[in-house]
Amino acid sequence: MTDSGRPAAAADLLARLSLNQETVKQWSLPELADGCARAGVRGVGLWRAPVQEYGPAAAARLVRDAGLTVTSLCRGGFLTAQDPAGRAAALDDNRAAIEEAAVLGTDTLVLVAGGLPPGSRDLHGARERIADALGELGPYAAARGVRLAIEPLHPMYAADRCVVSTLTQALDLAERFPADQVGVVVDTYHLWWDDTAGAQIARAGGTDAGPAGTDTAAGPDAVAGAGGTGGAGGPAGGGAGSRIAAFQLADWVTPLPEGVLLGRGQLGDGSVDFRWFRERVDAAGYRGPIEVEIFNPALWARDGAQVLAEIVNRFAAHVG
Amino acid sequence: MTDSGRPAAAADLLARLSLNQETVKQWSLPELADGCARAGVRGVGLWRAPVQEYGPAAAARLVRDAGLTVTSLCRGGFLTAQDPAGRAAALDDNRAAIEEAAVLGTDTLVLVAGGLPPGSRDLHGARERIADALGELGPYAAARGVRLAIEPLHPMYAADRCVVSTLTQALDLAERFPADQVGVVVDTYHLWWDDTAGAQIARAGGTDAGPAGTDTAAGPDAVAGAGGTGGAGGPAGGGAGSRIAAFQLADWVTPLPEGVLLGRGQLGDGSVDFRWFRERVDAAGYRGPIEVEIFNPALWARDGAQVLAEIVNRFAAHVG
């Protein structure tokens, strides 16, 4: 669509494929590193619990020695507690997550912002507490070369996991802060249904302006952004000033399972038009990793290498 | 907020309470009519299958003799089929639903618009086929005193039930047609998470303009609206030109059950701020029924009269 939206060659695109660890939960961290290296996949998205168990420094070495890049760490967040003790604990935990991300050498810490506190019905208040927390955590993260990536989660998670349900809301939050401190995650599973997603991906690209997009005013607390300095840029980031910190893929399949957490589909099995998303993220100037993150017990029950081979094939068929 | 947004007195509000039949599925149609009359509830929302089984004319007599008004008929819709035969069958079925609504004396036929056809990923195309169908069905409905009410369903139903996921999308569709032909349903269960819902309820009120709201252009196929004639007005409709055809209540509770159809919560048990919605619908000029529609096997397992008594109490506590 734009000059920068050239068609990506298949090989170029495959070089950007990253495997999120949770997709092949049956693999240990060494198995993951080995399996990705064998499959020619160059990036991995890691989760805190298995990294902590293995040791962050050892995990960083393991992955580096396999020739892999850590494209993101999942996850910080849960920043909506109202009580001071709960709030302090959440901030402490997020500082620890930022440090782990820095040790792993990734510039992206994915945040699941948090749901409504027990008994609360105040979505707006919860979103404002997230903004307050971002203000505290953003400089701490940027000083360590890490960007906080707000992930809008599907509205079916608004009560118990994440009151940030659309890319619009995520950008409204992110744009209050410098672009090297706070970005957003574009995840097809969460956004596929939303007919405003395309325009918001363009807004997130921010290739023509500062951190506040041209079509939406920044919030009242807007801070002059990092703009052209692109602190969170490099291979994993988008263009200067871009808010797109990560691009994640999973398909939407029904019926949803009880609890709706583990029903994500293999690429191509469901309703998501991946090429549509990839073209828009391309046009927004994003050149970073494309991470496949599927939570599905049927994939976990299979041989990890077979699952990864299938992902590589599906990625070429549906994304490229 | 506006001059017309005066606080509703508790008794006035209770007089607007309507019980959707599916909430007390354990009741037969005669039990429903009797139970509502005994509880002082004056309105019922009916479903096609039990009405067809009882006979529409007999159902109309039964309900009328109990002193009740039918506030809506659920449901028409499923208008996204691509094949000519499927499309023709859907239109025929919707014409039958319109006739049943007319026999029951309700001016509102709720539409669940339909999901993606098997194998399709084209949300935009599906929405356009809905618009085409509304163009065919709208005059047929209005001629029988029935308004088609597009219900935006929660985005978790976008693939398999309804590609219309937000009030914005529903109004974008409705505003292509005269206000006496096509309106929208404001249902808290589907909209509670959306921070644009308040502004869209105001847009739906349309108290100051024709069917095209002041903040959004009508689509390219916009038709001059019925405007001040308010064909679908009367006790069940909103103000002249209002697009709000129905206001329905259910609470959002988690965890969601498998299939996510039968997990709606009793008023007050979950995350929905009912008073917030009621105040905004009031301010938009809506003076019609307020229908409680909860799909929950735990309610169906109880005595219907006890469930209804609980609803009346919860309604007073959380909506008034």
Side-chain angles (χ1 to χ4, degrees):
Chain A
M1 308 299 254
T2 70
D3 289 349
S4 60
R6 59 159 174 70
D12 282 359
L13 200 69
L14 201 58
R16 294 167 61 193
L17 173 61
S18 170
L19 179 65
N20 187 285
Q21 173 169 30
E22 195 76 1
T23 309
V24 286
K25 200 179 176 171
Q26 63 272 50
W27 268 351
S28 67
L29 207 44
E31 286 170 334
L32 175 74
D34 184 58
C36 286
R38 286 175 190 272
V41 171
R42 303 183 197 174
V44 286
L46 299 182
W47 280 67
R48 289 185 71 198
V51 165
Q52 287 167 351
E53 194 180 329
Y54 196 83
R61 263 195 313 277
L62 175 77
V63 170
R64 196 184 318 118
D65 289 350
L68 304 174
T69 301
V70 181
T71 57
S72 72
L73 180 64
C74 293
R75 58 179 200 247
F78 292 93
L79 298 167
T80 53
Q82 286 175 302
D83 60 302
R87 181 162 183 76
L91 291 173
D92 282 349
D93 188 54
N94 276 273
R95 286 188 202 96
I98 290 164
E99 283 157 22
E100 290 158 21
V103 168
L104 292 169
T106 179
D107 56 8
T108 302
L109 176 65
V110 174
L111 302 187
V112 171
L116 289 171
S120 171
R121 301 184 176 100
D122 180 11
L123 288 165
H124 177 75
R127 291 177 187 133
E128 287 305 305
R129 289 195 295 285
I130 293 164
D132 288 347
L134 292 173
E136 292 206 37
L137 296 170
Y140 190 91
R144 286 153 184 80
V146 175
R147 180 152 69 158
L148 306 173
I150 308 169
E151 180 162 17
L153 256 56
H154 192 283
M156 68 187 177
Y157 302 116
D160 50 1
R161 306 188 80 75
C162 185
V163 294
V164 181
S165 305
T166 61
L167 194 49
T168 301
Q169 291 173 341
L171 287 166
D172 286 348
L173 278 167
E175 287 174 355
R176 297 191 192 187
F177 306 98
D180 65 335
Q181 292 183 12
V182 185
V184 298
V185 180
V186 174
D187 186 317
T188 60
Y189 189 75
H190 300 300
L191 304 177
W192 75 278
W193 61 272
D194 184 357
D195 63 356
T196 71
Q200 294 299 314
I201 289 170
R203 172 185 169 194
T207 46
D208 55 346
T214 52
D215 61 343
T216 303
D221 301 324
V223 174
T229 65
S242 171
R243 295 287 175 172
I244 304 176
F247 178 33
Q248 297 185 325
L249 310 182
D251 214 337
W252 180 272
V253 291
T254 57
L256 294 166
E258 183 183 356
V260 301
L261 276 177
L262 306 182
R264 302 194 188 186
Q266 171 65 284
L267 313 185
D269 282 352
S271 304
V272 174
D273 186 341
F274 291 102
R275 194 164 289 110
W276 185 95
F277 270 95
R278 199 262 301 155
E279 287 171 355
R280 268 137 198 92
V281 168
D282 277 357
Y286 179 76
R287 299 287 176 269
I290 306 176
E291 207 176 278
V292 174
E293 185 189 52
I294 304 169
F295 308 155
N296 191 321
L299 295 187
W300 299 336
R302 291 168 54 192
D303 173 70
Q306 282 183 357
V307 170
L308 181 51
E310 185 178 81
I311 285 171
V312 169
N313 287 336
R314 297 291 186 95
F315 184 82
H318 294 279
V319 184
Chain B
M1 307 299 256
T2 69
D3 288 347
S4 60
R6 60 158 175 68
D12 282 358
L13 199 68
L14 202 57
R16 294 167 60 193
L17 174 61
S18 170
L19 180 65
N20 186 284
Q21 175 171 27
E22 194 77 0
T23 309
V24 287
K25 198 177 176 172
Q26 63 273 50
W27 268 350
S28 67
L29 207 44
E31 287 170 335
L32 176 75
D34 183 58
C36 285
R38 285 175 189 274
V41 171
R42 303 185 198 171
V44 286
L46 299 182
W47 280 68
R48 291 185 70 196
V51 165
Q52 286 168 349
E53 194 180 330
Y54 195 82
R61 265 195 312 276
L62 175 78
V63 169
R64 196 185 318 119
D65 289 350
L68 304 174
T69 301
V70 181
T71 57
S72 71
L73 179 63
C74 294
R75 56 177 203 249
F78 293 93
L79 299 167
T80 53
Q82 285 174 301
D83 60 304
R87 181 160 185 79
L91 292 173
D92 282 348
D93 188 54
N94 277 273
R95 285 187 202 98
I98 290 164
E99 283 156 22
E100 289 159 21
V103 168
L104 292 169
T106 180
D107 56 8
T108 302
L109 176 65
V110 174
L111 302 187
V112 171
L116 289 171
S120 170
R121 301 184 175 100
D122 180 10
L123 288 166
H124 177 74
R127 292 178 188 131
E128 287 306 305
R129 287 194 298 282
I130 294 165
D132 288 346
L134 292 172
E136 292 206 36
L137 296 170
Y140 189 91
R144 286 152 184 80
V146 175
R147 180 153 68 159
L148 305 173
I150 307 169
E151 179 162 18
L153 255 56
H154 192 284
M156 68 188 176
Y157 302 115
D160 49 3
R161 305 189 81 73
C162 185
V163 295
V164 180
S165 304
T166 62
L167 195 47
T168 302
Q169 292 173 341
L171 287 166
D172 286 349
L173 279 168
E175 288 173 355
R176 297 191 191 186
F177 308 98
D180 66 334
Q181 293 183 11
V182 185
V184 298
V185 180
V186 175
D187 185 318
T188 61
Y189 189 74
H190 299 301
L191 303 177
W192 76 277
W193 61 273
D194 184 357
D195 62 356
T196 71
Q200 294 300 313
I201 290 170
R203 171 185 169 194
T207 47
D208 56 345
T214 53
D215 60 343
T216 302
D221 301 325
V223 173
T229 64
S242 172
R243 295 288 175 171
I244 304 177
F247 178 33
Q248 296 185 326
L249 310 181
D251 214 337
W252 180 271
V253 292
T254 56
L256 294 166
E258 184 183 357
V260 302
L261 277 177
L262 306 182
R264 301 194 188 187
Q266 171 66 284
L267 314 185
D269 282 353
S271 304
V272 173
D273 187 341
F274 292 101
R275 195 164 288 110
W276 184 94
F277 271 94
R278 199 263 299 154
E279 288 171 355
R280 269 142 197 89
V281 169
D282 277 356
Y286 179 76
R287 299 285 177 269
I290 307 177
E291 206 177 278
V292 174
E293 184 189 52
I294 305 169
F295 308 154
N296 191 320
L299 295 187
W300 299 337
R302 292 168 53 193
D303 174 70
Q306 284 183 356
V307 170
L308 181 52
E310 186 178 82
I311 285 171
V312 170
N313 287 335
R314 297 292 185 93
F315 184 81
H318 294 280
V319 182

